[in-house]
Amino acid sequence: MLTLPPLSLYIHIPWCVQKCPYCDFNSHALKEGVPEDQYVDALLTDLKQDAHYAQGRQISSIFIGGGTPSLLSADAISRLLSGVRDLVPLQPDCEITLEANPGTVESDKFTGFQQAGVNRISIGVQSFQNEKLTALGRIHGKNEALRAIEQAQQAGLDSFNIDLMHGLPDQSLEDALSDLAQGIAMAPPHMSWYQLTIEPNTLFHSRPPTLPDDDILWDIYEQGHKVLQAAGYRQYEVSAYHRIDEHRANETNDYRCRHNLNYWRFGDYLGIGCGAHGKITLPLQNQILRTSKIKHPRGYLAAKQQFVDQQSFIANEDLPFEYFMNRFRLFEAFPISEYSERTGQPLSSVEKTLADAEQQGLLTIERQHLQLSLKGHRYLNSLLESFLAD
């Protein structure tokens, strides 16, 4: 039987100064100023229509992503978050993250965001080397990245994250470790360190750059992981690390991204804004609903009342793959009973697959808890294929 999991809120801001050649997110290059008042109005109307999906739950985290949310003014973010509080209840310690591009951050903007209610900033640095930033189509340079991090440190936030990429065009092991060393020197509480991948429908897909070979990529990952560990960062997800702080040891007050944890634990989330996706558990129907909103800003702003583009239920036969595809991104152990609680499916539907995986050394089952092994993480794609419906 399905039980209601924790609930988050994702808010999508679709505009960027320019589209990066590797980006496959729903983002649109600005041709004129951001219509922020009109868009905030639409977002709040969108949320009002979805508010009943909260089903009595408080919002545990909010993530304002994009696009480039830091293009919005602090006043717009303040009005947005105030409107959200009027429509859905928030947990007292709700984590509220806003993504920021160093090239769109003015000297006092982070302080304004913090005063508006944002308590966590995620800064899209990607690299500290100007030539690599140019190759990635970024509009900022090294100095702007360092200045943005310093502003986040001074803004009185609960936490902040920096995004760093590796496996960049023509990147050497030394280049990658240099970026990582610069990032660590800034002492962010959280780091997202992930490999550049070439996605369909991007400029890099149609005009592929020269990327490092597999041996260099593995050396970058292996040595970079050791560097992060030695600097006091713990990997808790495939591409996410948080600084270990003995004074912030419990889950409600540590440096992991609670919003992403809820995604990977197969929690629920409302999605508002252009192209935003949502996942909603409906216990009475014993089903899970997927929603997506109108993608293009022009169409979204013209919608007025009907923002949903598509919605569908996840088929029962697809639930094992959907659940484990998310859950196995995390390095933590978790109770086996969670599978049935989050999917509504009996444990018997996956018992043989789990037993086979344990025999192969891909995971361990102990005291009714399941945990992926290091071997399991290395061969994750093959393991996940075993949960696909025939």
Side-chain angles (χ1 to χ4, degrees):
M1 179 66 179
L2 279 167
T3 59
L4 282 175
L7 180 66
S8 297
L9 170 64
Y10 176 75
I11 303 173
H12 192 74
I13 310 299
W15 294 284
C16 288
V17 174
Q18 66 181 27
K19 183 85 170 179
C20 295
Y22 59 85
C23 178
D24 69 335
F25 294 135
N26 184 34
S27 59
H28 302 265
L30 272 174
K31 296 181 180 178
E32 51 191 28
V34 177
E36 58 180 26
D37 289 339
Q38 186 184 3
Y39 194 65
V40 169
D41 287 342
L43 287 171
L44 294 176
T45 303
D46 190 352
L47 179 58
K48 185 176 182 179
Q49 293 175 5
D50 279 3
H52 65 284
Y53 287 134
Q55 302 170 84
R57 291 170 291 181
Q58 294 182 324
I59 301 293
S60 61
S61 65
I62 298 172
F63 196 99
I64 306 172
T68 307
S70 53
L71 286 170
L72 268 62
S73 68
D75 286 343
I77 296 297
S78 180
R79 188 165 77 87
L80 171 62
L81 292 177
S82 178
V84 167
R85 290 187 182 92
D86 290 339
L87 292 170
V88 289
L90 307 188
Q91 288 183 359
D93 63 343
C94 181
E95 175 192 86
I96 304 177
T97 302
L98 181 140
E99 286 187 331
N101 184 329
T104 64
V105 178
E106 299 165 3
S107 60
D108 60 347
K109 219 167 187 182
F110 282 170
T111 300
F113 291 147
Q114 190 270 341
Q115 292 171 346
V118 172
N119 52 36
R120 185 176 183 273
I121 292 284
S122 181
I123 307 170
V125 172
Q126 315 310 356
S127 176
F128 291 100
Q129 299 173 46
N130 288 331
E131 66 274 16
K132 294 293 186 268
L133 290 169
T134 299
L136 291 173
R138 305 297 288 177
I139 64 169
H140 69 273
K142 174 183 177 178
N143 291 338
E144 288 171 303
L146 294 174
R147 186 163 59 248
I149 295 170
E150 290 169 355
Q151 290 168 19
Q153 292 168 330
Q154 297 165 7
L157 300 161
D158 290 347
S159 182
F160 68 93
N161 166 68
I162 65 171
D163 279 350
L164 281 179
M165 279 182 162
H166 58 87
L168 306 182
D170 298 311
Q171 188 178 47
S172 66
L173 172 62
E174 292 72 24
D175 287 338
L177 295 182
S178 174
D179 268 348
L180 204 51
Q182 179 70 79
I184 290 170
M186 302 303 291
H190 188 283
M191 290 183 67
S192 296
W193 190 59
Y194 54 96
Q195 182 180 323
L196 170 66
T197 56
I198 306 300
E199 303 290 349
N201 302 315
T202 64
L203 184 60
F204 273 0
H205 188 263
S206 59
R207 302 175 189 172
T210 302
L211 300 180
D213 62 34
D214 289 344
D215 288 340
I216 293 176
L217 289 174
W218 178 250
D219 287 344
I220 289 172
Y221 174 79
E222 190 174 47
Q223 294 194 37
H225 178 71
K226 291 177 180 177
V227 167
L228 283 160
Q229 283 187 314
Y233 287 86
R234 177 176 296 154
Q235 185 179 28
Y236 70 96
E237 186 264 338
V238 171
S239 58
Y241 293 76
H242 71 111
R243 200 170 68 217
I244 301 169
D245 188 333
E246 61 184 14
H247 301 297
R248 293 168 64 102
N250 62 75
E251 180 172 320
T252 59
N253 197 29
D254 67 19
Y255 291 126
R256 293 177 296 175
C257 176
R258 270 188 276 159
H259 190 84
N260 285 344
L261 281 174
N262 191 44
Y263 283 157
W264 309 139
R265 290 170 177 165
F266 213 54
D268 279 358
Y269 46 94
L270 304 174
I272 63 172
C274 295
H277 290 257
K279 170 191 169 286
I280 307 298
T281 297
L282 302 173
L284 293 179
Q285 293 96 317
N286 203 41
Q287 289 185 304
I288 297 175
L289 180 69
R290 296 278 196 194
T291 64
S292 63
K293 303 299 172 63
I294 296 169
K295 288 185 177 182
H296 199 281
R298 193 181 307 113
Y300 183 84
L301 290 170
K304 303 295 184 185
Q305 296 296 324
Q306 185 52 260
F307 298 97
V308 175
D309 181 35
Q310 296 180 14
Q311 61 180 28
S312 60
F313 292 107
I314 302 177
N316 288 342
E317 59 268 25
D318 295 332
L319 281 166
F321 176 79
E322 291 276 344
Y323 173 79
F324 287 111
M325 178 180 65
N326 287 280
R327 208 54 177 90
F328 282 159
R329 287 188 67 96
L330 296 175
F331 284 76
E332 65 185 12
F334 58 95
I336 297 176
S337 59
E338 185 189 84
Y339 169 76
S340 295
E341 294 167 358
R342 297 288 165 94
T343 67
Q345 301 302 299
L347 185 59
S348 59
S349 64
V350 293
E351 276 182 327
K352 185 180 185 306
T353 305
L354 292 176
D356 290 345
E358 185 176 31
Q359 190 172 18
Q360 296 169 42
L362 301 176
L363 55 85
T364 58
I365 302 174
E366 185 176 352
R367 297 178 183 176
Q368 296 302 304
H369 279 68
L370 190 156
Q371 186 166 22
L372 208 60
S373 66
L374 291 177
K375 180 181 178 182
H377 278 285
R378 187 167 186 180
Y379 296 101
L380 182 56
N381 288 341
S382 297
L383 174 59
L384 290 174
E385 287 175 3
S386 65
F387 292 100
L388 287 171
D390 293 332

